[in-house]
Amino acid sequence: MIAPNFKKFENGLIPAIIQDSTTKTVLMLGYMNEEALTLTQKTKRITFFSRSKNRLWTKGESSGNYLKLVKVQLDCDQDALLILAAPTGPVCHRGSDTCWNEINQSNFGFLSALEHVIATRKTQEDTNTSYVNALFNKGINSIAQKVGEEAVEVIIEAKDTNNKLFLNESGDLLFHYLILLQAKGFSLKDVEAVLKSRQK
């Protein structure tokens, strides 16, 4: 169990940064004293020390939007906590996902940006300048066939020793799979949800 030396902090309080354990989005900042941290680790529900109420306060005790504890980390200088949590609803008392009014959703970095580009090209009118738009216009059968072709290419290159060709074909497969997902009305987040539901 994490046990900082609370006596070295002003009023015995240490800042606690709350981060979504799945999306890695920063949700809020609170303060904990030793009792709050102990209770958090015991109950697995994030509990703070409220400076305004001057008492322990479990996030969600009024709204029902609890923060389930996943992991507690103490930073390198031992003067701040990073708490990974699973939110059960909006975190901010104003109803937003985070206290910075951000949407808390998975972000797959460049792949999310690529999904956005594909969505933009899907509605582009000039098919002569957009391979993606032209593929969408050909319909689901053509898109699915292209994914199949790229999958075969990946299998062929996997049996060879040319890693560059294997990675290039893998990139082509992933690119066309993203197109197929959007053609079916889905995204990587939907696939992520399926994989998460299989966790044991």
Side-chain angles (χ1 to χ4, degrees):
M1 290 177 65
I2 297 291
N5 181 8
F6 283 93
K7 292 180 181 178
K8 75 175 187 177
F9 301 107
E10 184 178 355
N11 298 322
L13 299 178
I14 188 171
I17 301 163
I18 312 301
Q19 183 180 41
D20 188 299
S21 59
T22 300
T23 67
K24 305 308 179 190
T25 301
V26 176
L27 303 174
M28 65 173 291
L29 170 70
Y31 290 87
M32 289 184 169
N33 60 9
E34 187 171 3
E35 189 179 2
L37 180 58
T38 299
L39 190 60
T40 292
Q41 293 177 317
K42 180 180 178 181
T43 65
K44 304 303 181 189
R45 286 184 173 177
I46 310 298
T47 298
F48 302 99
F49 182 84
S50 171
R51 294 171 298 167
S52 59
K53 299 173 184 176
N54 196 34
R55 66 171 177 85
L56 293 182
W57 162 66
T58 299
K59 177 64 181 168
E61 64 184 27
S62 300
S63 66
N65 297 327
Y66 294 100
L67 291 168
K68 296 179 181 179
L69 176 66
V70 175
K71 185 178 181 181
V72 180
Q73 295 174 280
L74 190 60
D75 82 338
C76 60
D77 293 323
Q78 299 189 336
D79 57 10
L81 293 171
L82 175 62
I83 299 182
L84 302 182
T88 59
V91 172
C92 182
H93 68 284
R94 295 182 177 179
S96 58
D97 288 351
T98 78
C99 289
W100 289 270
N101 199 30
E102 294 179 322
I103 296 174
N104 181 24
Q105 61 185 16
S106 295
N107 187 308
F108 304 100
F110 175 75
L111 292 181
S112 291
L114 186 56
E115 278 191 314
H116 177 71
V117 170
I118 290 171
T120 302
R121 299 280 169 82
K122 182 179 180 180
T123 57
Q124 187 174 330
E125 293 183 4
D126 188 359
T127 58
N128 293 323
T129 59
S130 172
Y131 167 78
V132 172
N133 182 264
L135 195 54
F136 274 118
N137 286 336
K138 288 180 181 178
I140 192 72
N141 289 341
S142 292
I143 297 171
Q145 180 180 343
K146 189 64 180 171
V147 171
E149 292 171 2
E150 296 300 342
V152 170
E153 292 293 332
V154 168
I155 293 169
I156 292 171
E157 294 305 333
K159 294 173 177 282
D160 205 345
T161 58
N162 190 323
N163 290 336
K164 183 177 180 180
L165 285 177
F166 170 71
L167 289 175
N168 279 326
E169 293 299 341
S170 296
D172 289 344
L173 174 59
L174 184 52
F175 176 70
H176 287 90
Y177 176 63
L178 292 177
I179 295 174
L180 180 60
L181 276 176
Q182 290 204 25
K184 295 289 291 181
F186 298 111
S187 71
L188 284 173
K189 293 183 182 67
D190 298 299
V191 179
E192 179 195 40
V194 171
L195 294 175
K196 285 174 65 176
S197 72
R198 295 177 182 174
Q199 280 185 318
K200 295 182 179 179

